[in-house]
Amino acid sequence: MQAIIMAAGKGSRLGTLTMGKPKSFAEIHGKKLIEYNLKLLQKYQVEDIIIVTGYNCEAFEELTKDMEHVRLIYNPFYEMVNVLGSFYMGMEALQDDFIYLHADTICEPSIFEKLIHIKKEVDILLPVDERPCDEEAMKVRSEQGRIVQITKQMPIEHADGEFIGMAAFRKEVIPALKAKTKELLKEKKFNEYFESAIQRLLEEEHFQVKTVPTEGAFWAEIDFMEDYQRAAANMPSSLLELFL
């Protein structure tokens, strides 16, 4: 299994937590956000990890210089494109079942384990926090057990929950996912999120896309200072124990 980590962000909204460092270098309990994800991947023996970098790529080069199973791909256009553009830069390295994740999002091992053990009858597995969403959330809507929409633009009253920004994909999905990503960028949709490619798969392909509820397990996307403070206050021991 492979993993691809989106790590091009600057994190200017985190103020003094980054101070010239990449967004995912913000630390909680003395460990960088990206280090939590690298430790989770190590725990579950994912041995081909692609990190798409952008802002201050040299920091990632230094961090991973002795990590045998990590490859860095630089996105020189990180200031001009959203996450979809970073995925485009790294997608040619994908050839096996893979985990997709953001370097600034962390979760309990119990969530991550469900992604690692994606079943053959499921093509795409999306962890969803089934709770009321705010406007900023990447919202998900389903009908009769099938996901039909994933977007931030969805009215909050239509959402069934929030996609947490980590997902598992079977290798059979890769050609179609690459095609939809390229299609969006050819349409000059440079500000789109990666989930826009998933939405096109939902509309135009016949893959089995399943959600898995987080069931109250800890996860956090660190965009603002209040996200950081909430994550620091609620960090579970299962994540801290990864470093023991």
Side-chain angles (χ1 to χ4, degrees), residues 173-191:
V173 180
I174 293 174
L177 182 60
K178 288 179 178 179
K180 299 307 179 190
T181 300
K182 186 175 181 179
E183 181 181 280
L184 283 158
L185 293 175
K186 286 179 73 174
E187 294 170 14
K188 302 188 186 304
K189 297 185 183 294
F190 303 130
N191 290 321

Side-chain angles (χ1 to χ4, degrees), residues 4 6 10 16 35 44 51 78 81 98 121 124 131 133 136 155 158 164 172 189 192 204 220 229 236 239:
I4 185 165
M6 303 292 98
K10 185 175 183 179
T16 57
E35 288 181 307
Y44 292 103
I51 304 177
Y78 71 93
V81 297
F98 73 92
E121 64 271 17
I124 305 173
R131 60 178 175 81
C133 298
E136 181 68 16
H158 294 168
I164 74 168
E172 289 78 9
K189 297 185 183 294
E192 292 292 325
E204 303 174 22
Q229 292 169 340
L239 276 176

Side-chain angles (χ1 to χ4, degrees), residues 49-170:
I49 302 168
I50 300 120
I51 304 177
V52 182
T53 68
Y55 177 71
N56 197 348
C57 60
E58 296 82 4
F60 291 97
E61 293 167 5
E62 179 64 25
L63 178 70
T64 64
K65 64 183 180 181
D66 297 321
M67 298 182 184
E68 295 181 3
H69 305 301
V70 175
R71 290 185 276 167
L72 302 181
I73 296 177
Y74 175 62
N75 173 13
F77 311 109
Y78 71 93
E79 291 186 295
M80 295 173 255
V81 297
N82 208 327
V83 182
L84 186 70
S86 282
F87 178 76
Y88 177 83
M89 298 301 296
M91 69 183 188
E92 292 305 321
L94 297 172
Q95 56 191 358
D96 198 356
D97 298 350
F98 73 92
I99 303 294
Y100 167 91
L101 62 159
H102 292 268
D104 62 348
T105 299
I106 53 178
C107 73
E108 278 195 64
S110 62
I111 296 176
F112 204 83
E113 188 167 353
K114 295 172 184 176
L115 297 178
I116 292 293
H117 299 301
I118 184 172
K119 295 180 173 58
K120 291 184 178 180
E121 64 271 17
V122 178
D123 295 307
I124 305 173
L125 191 59
L126 307 174
V128 172
D129 192 342
E130 296 175 338
R131 60 178 175 81
C133 298
D134 58 30
E135 294 291 348
E136 181 68 16
M138 183 59 70
K139 296 172 280 293
V140 171
R141 179 170 63 88
S142 59
E143 292 178 359
Q144 299 178 338
R146 179 179 178 272
I147 297 178
V148 295
Q149 190 176 17
I150 179 168
T151 178
K152 283 194 173 189
Q153 283 67 52
M154 186 189 309
I156 56 175
E157 61 271 19
H158 294 168
D160 295 313
E162 179 178 1
F163 170 52
I164 74 168
M166 298 182 178
F169 294 81
R170 298 281 294 169

Side-chain angles (χ1 to χ4, degrees), residues 183-223:
E183 181 181 280
L184 283 158
L185 293 175
K186 286 179 73 174
E187 294 170 14
K188 302 188 186 304
K189 297 185 183 294
F190 303 130
N191 290 321
E192 292 292 325
Y193 293 94
F194 172 70
E195 289 79 4
S196 296
I198 298 178
Q199 180 63 43
R200 293 211 171 175
L201 291 180
L202 292 173
E203 294 169 355
E204 303 174 22
E205 303 289 343
H206 301 285
F207 295 114
Q208 293 297 315
V209 184
K210 182 180 178 182
T211 63
V212 56
T214 57
E215 298 179 324
F218 170 87
W219 72 276
E221 179 184 9
I222 314 298
D223 283 329

